[in-house]
Each structure stands twice: as C-alpha cells, then as structure tokens.
Amino acid sequence: MAYNFREYFAKKYPSSAYIYNVLKKNGDQDIVWEDLTDTFMDNVADTIKENVCPSSARTYLTVIRSLLNRARLSGITFPSVNYAEILRAKSSKCSKTYLTTEELRRIEVYIPPNDYEATVRARFLIGAYTGCRQSDFQQINASNIQDGMLSYVSEKTGIKATIPVKPIVKELIRIPCKEMPLATFNSTLRNICRKCGIRTMVKVFKGGKQMEGPKYKFISSHTARISFCTNLYLLGCDIVKISRMAGHSDINMTKRYIASEMISIDKKAMRYFH
C-alpha cells in the first residue's frame, strides 16, 4: 500500500505526531514526498535547532531522520540526498549571523512594495528591537505598552519580559500582518535584506558544513532575537538583564544567542595591550 507522507509519519510514529506539525511550518499545505529536498530539510533543521532546547532538537531530528531512512529502505523516493547529514544536532559550535544596528536601520528606512514585505519587515524589526520570539511578537499590540515599556509573557517559557520601547516599535505593531508559512517569511526576509544591501561576506556552519556567502543568504526569523541579544551585549548591557528582556529561563540560553566572540575587558586590563 502506498502512503502519503502524513499517513506514513502517523503509521510509523503515532506518538510523535507533533513533529509533523513542526515540519508543516515550512510549507503552505500538507507535505508530499516531493517536498523533501535538501533545502527543505535544511530549513526544518534550522527551525528545530532555533526553537527548542538541544536535547529536544536531537530527539526531533532523530525521529525525522529515522523515518526517512525507513521510507527509503522500503522503496519510497524523495529528492533529498543529504538528509542524513543535515538532520543531525551536531555538538560542534555553530557560527551565528546577526544584523548590526546600522544594518537594522537600512531595513527601517526600506519601503515595502507589498503587504507581505510590510509584514515581514514589521515582525522582524519588532523581534530585533524587543527580543520577542515570533510566536510572541505576533500577539503584541498597543495594550502591551505602558509608560514607555513593553511587557509580555513568553509563550514558550512563561516568563514575563519587560523591555524599553523604541519609537519605531509603536508604529510597527499597528501594521496589519499577513499570515504566511515560516519558509515564505524567511525567503521574503532574505530578499528584503538583499535589496537593503546587506551583502557582507560571512562564514557560517549550516546544514552540517561550513558555508560562505553574502550575509542576506543566511538571515532568518531567528536572526531577530540573535541581533537583539548580540547588539545589547556589544553595547555593554549586563547579560542577566539581556536574559530577562529576552524571556530566557537562564543566562546559558542567552549566551547561545550572542553571535560574537568579543569579550568585555576591564579598562585596567586593557593597559596590557597598549
């Protein structure tokens, strides 16, 4: 009997149906075998690693990898060639990409030509300037702002976060937003960054291998939170305060969001390098 992807997943892993929903976030409709390209798998791996803790990421990726191994052995075909390598939560440190304050300003002044780009621009900048997860900043409205401070309870951790509000955030939360799959959000975001000239050459560890290219190619929705934490860190903000504003349960999680190897050195210690 031939199964479609959803039926096959439900049959082989009935207790892990929630993982199918993680996969489905990368597409508009139900997944078909032909959707399973290396690019699709790469997006899935990124989404999982960015949104769950390392132990859960390993579990999710192992289930998906095992499912695809069994499917291939049973004669089912799909396009991905490197899924086994891509779907691994490697213990090696991954390099992260963030947008500098100057690059964020380029997106601020960018004028979107359509509602989809307007949505992506607004949501990304809200995330970059508040540290909100996408699941949180989609729910934020003017009622969350009191006395120049934005407060919300993180949907993921249940922790209350309070952040000073940039004037532009007050404007952005009023923009009507279009619903779209995460994959569409990310591809639209990269196109915006490309048009804004965010083309600095960077090296990242992605999809199980070292990659190099213009920065815009490696930007995703998650880059907003990474930019928030990294820029505050580079400006000298205490990591405990960053952690609280980002709604993290502990500072070790916050450290993983800082895309910089820079360290803070006491002024007296700096004399050693003069």
Side-chain angles (χ1 to χ4, degrees), residues 12-226:
K12 299 297 182 183
Y13 293 99
S15 63
S16 299
Y18 62 94
I19 298 180
Y20 177 82
N21 292 326
V22 175
L23 288 161
K24 195 172 183 295
K25 284 183 180 180
N26 286 274
D28 290 299
Q29 301 174 343
D30 278 341
I31 301 163
V32 297
W33 293 106
E34 289 75 17
D35 291 330
L36 307 183
T37 63
D38 279 351
T39 299
F40 182 91
M41 291 293 101
D42 203 32
N43 285 334
V44 166
D46 280 350
T47 299
I48 290 172
K49 292 174 186 177
E50 290 169 354
N51 289 284
V52 303
C53 68
S55 60
S56 294
R58 283 192 292 273
T59 299
Y60 286 22
L61 296 175
T62 298
V63 168
I64 299 168
R65 192 173 65 247
S66 176
L67 178 90
L68 297 182
N69 284 338
R70 296 174 70 172
R72 185 147 281 174
L73 287 172
S74 67
I76 296 173
T77 60
F78 49 87
S80 180
V81 175
N82 301 304
Y83 71 89
E85 180 182 7
I86 294 170
L87 298 174
R88 290 187 184 279
K90 293 180 180 291
S91 58
S92 58
K93 185 178 179 180
C94 296
S95 57
K96 300 179 181 68
T97 302
Y98 78 103
L99 295 188
T100 65
T101 54
E102 189 276 330
E103 289 168 334
L104 291 172
R105 288 192 192 100
R106 294 189 202 178
I107 299 177
E108 280 189 39
V109 300
Y110 174 74
I111 300 176
N114 55 59
D115 291 344
Y116 281 94
E117 285 202 1
T119 292
V120 172
R121 172 183 172 273
R123 287 184 178 177
F124 183 80
L125 287 175
I126 290 171
Y129 289 142
T130 67
C132 296
R133 295 176 179 85
Q134 187 167 186
S135 58
D136 290 323
F137 64 68
Q138 289 183 50
Q139 311 302 322
I140 288 174
N141 56 50
S143 66
N144 294 89
I145 299 176
Q146 297 289 333
D147 300 322
M149 303 295 285
L150 170 70
S151 296
Y152 70 97
V153 176
S154 170
E155 185 179 275
K156 181 178 179 181
T157 64
I159 294 174
K160 183 178 181 180
T162 302
I163 312 101
V165 179
K166 285 177 71 76
I168 191 174
V169 171
K170 296 179 182 179
E171 301 172 15
L172 294 170
I173 62 174
R174 297 189 182 98
I175 296 175
C177 289
K178 290 276 189 183
E179 291 302 317
M180 67 186 77
L182 182 59
T184 301
F185 183 100
N186 286 336
S187 63
T188 303
L189 174 61
R190 289 168 190 141
N191 192 41
I192 291 173
C193 290
R194 178 186 61 80
K195 290 192 283 187
C196 288
I198 301 173
R199 300 168 179 269
T200 304
M201 296 299 291
V202 297
K203 290 182 178 180
V204 300
F205 188 79
K206 184 179 175 69
K209 58 184 178 182
Q210 190 81 16
M211 302 178 70
E212 182 175 0
K215 185 186 282 190
Y216 74 84
K217 287 189 174 182
F218 305 109
I219 303 301
S220 70
S221 62
H222 200 57
T223 307
R225 275 169 64 76
I226 293 173

